[in-house]
Each structure stands twice: as C-alpha cells, then as structure tokens.
Amino acid sequence: MSENIISFEKPTIESIYKQAFKTMLDQIVVCIANTVIFFIVCFLLGITIIGLLAFPAVIGGYTESLIRAARGDKVGIGDFFKAGLNKFGTLLGAGILFILGVGIGLICFIIPGIYLMVRWFFVTYLIVDKDLGVSEAFQQSGKMVSNIFWEVLAVFIINAFIQSIGCTIAVGAILTTPFILLVSTHYYLGLSQEETVQQISEEQDNTKNTPE
C-alpha cells in the first residue's frame, strides 16, 4: 500500500447519530447543564427587542461548545458565551441574512426556504470553528452541501422529528436539543475532514505531476 494514501471514513447518517449518542453519554452533565443555561439566557434575551440581537452570539457560542465536545476537548459549564461574543458582529450579520433569506423563501411557496435552510446548514459552524466571514461562511456551507443535498435534508428532517418528540415532554428538549446539534456537529466535522483529505490528496497528485 502506498504511503501517500490517506485513510478516511466518509460520514454517514448512521455514523453521525452513533457518534452524537456517544458524545452525549460521555459528557452528559455538561451537555445538560449548558443546555439549561442556554434556554434560560435565550428566554431572558427574548423579553426585549435589543436582547434578540444577542441571540446569534449565544447560539454561536453554544454551537462552539458542542464542537469542542464532539472533538473530545474539555468543555466547562457556562463557558460557551465568550466564543459567541468574540464573533458577535459576524454571527449577527449571518443570523439576519439567514432569517431574511429563509423567511422570504418560505413565503415564496415554502420550497425555496427549505432549500436555503439546507444549503446554509453549516454557516454557524464555519463562523465559530474556522472564523470565516459572513459571505465566506454562506459560500462554504453551500459548497459542503452541494453534492449531498438530499442527505443533509434527511438529517434535517430526522432532527426536526426528534426535537418535536422532545418538546412534547416536559424536560425532553433539554436532552434532544444537545443531541440533534451534536448530530449536526459530527456531520460538519466529518465533512470538514473529508474536504481536508481531498485537498491533501490533490496537493500530493500535483506534486507527483510536477516535473523535477
């Protein structure tokens, strides 16, 4: 076997749900505690119009903590605010654009809105993880989804179904919210790794084809 061959297992719907379940069990206390804090903060912010502007930053920070959890890094209780606030402007801009785009799309026969929700599935992840700007994050998310649109849509629908079940139970959402977001997180990380492997393989091919 050539030393230049890079081993990589492409993420599948089954694998990301298994990985999310494992991460959830490994860090159950932190996941539940941070989700409770997240809900409380979102409720308090929702009381005022000005508070609503901080929503994207809080969501971004919470998402970033789940990325660390999925990677096996240390996650502390309530330590997710800083990451979101550090990218406040970018997350706010992305949040406004997302709401406007999806909102208008849903009004226009629903299907365009669903299409944009799927295409922009990883925008927040790319901002908090790779520090991309608003335009770059939307473009990169679309690129990641372009060849697997129906698969991402399936994950979106399954997650929505799981969350709807969680919301019918008194405290169910405290468990289902971090779980479905961990599913999306593992999906994002798997696709990001795939993209990196492809780039390395292309660089290796270019090196081989370059005359000495």
Side-chain angles (χ1 to χ4, degrees), residues 170-193:
V171 293
I174 295 176
L175 293 174
T176 56
T177 298
F179 175 70
I180 64 172
L181 289 177
L182 280 170
V183 168
S184 301
T185 299
H186 278 289
Y187 203 6
Y188 160 75
L189 292 175
L191 293 175
S192 295
Q193 184 183 359

Side-chain angles (χ1 to χ4, degrees), residues 126-211:
L126 289 162
I127 291 174
V128 298
D129 185 44
K130 296 190 175 181
D131 199 25
L132 297 187
V134 175
S135 178
E136 292 175 307
F138 279 91
Q139 290 176 5
Q140 183 63 20
S141 179
K143 181 180 177 182
M144 293 173 70
V145 171
S146 61
N147 294 325
I148 52 170
F149 180 87
W150 296 110
E151 185 178 286
V152 178
L153 177 61
V155 172
F156 179 84
I157 293 173
I158 294 171
N159 281 354
F161 178 72
I162 293 173
Q163 185 69 342
S164 66
I165 294 176
C167 290
T168 61
I169 308 171
V171 293
I174 295 176
L175 293 174
T176 56
T177 298
F179 175 70
I180 64 172
L181 289 177
L182 280 170
V183 168
S184 301
T185 299
H186 278 289
Y187 203 6
Y188 160 75
L189 292 175
L191 293 175
S192 295
Q193 184 183 359
E194 179 183 17
E195 182 182 20
T196 300
V197 169
Q198 289 176 344
Q199 290 175 348
I200 294 174
S201 296
E202 289 174 0
E203 290 175 0
Q204 290 177 344
D205 290 338
N206 291 334
T207 301
K208 288 179 182 179
N209 296 328
T210 301

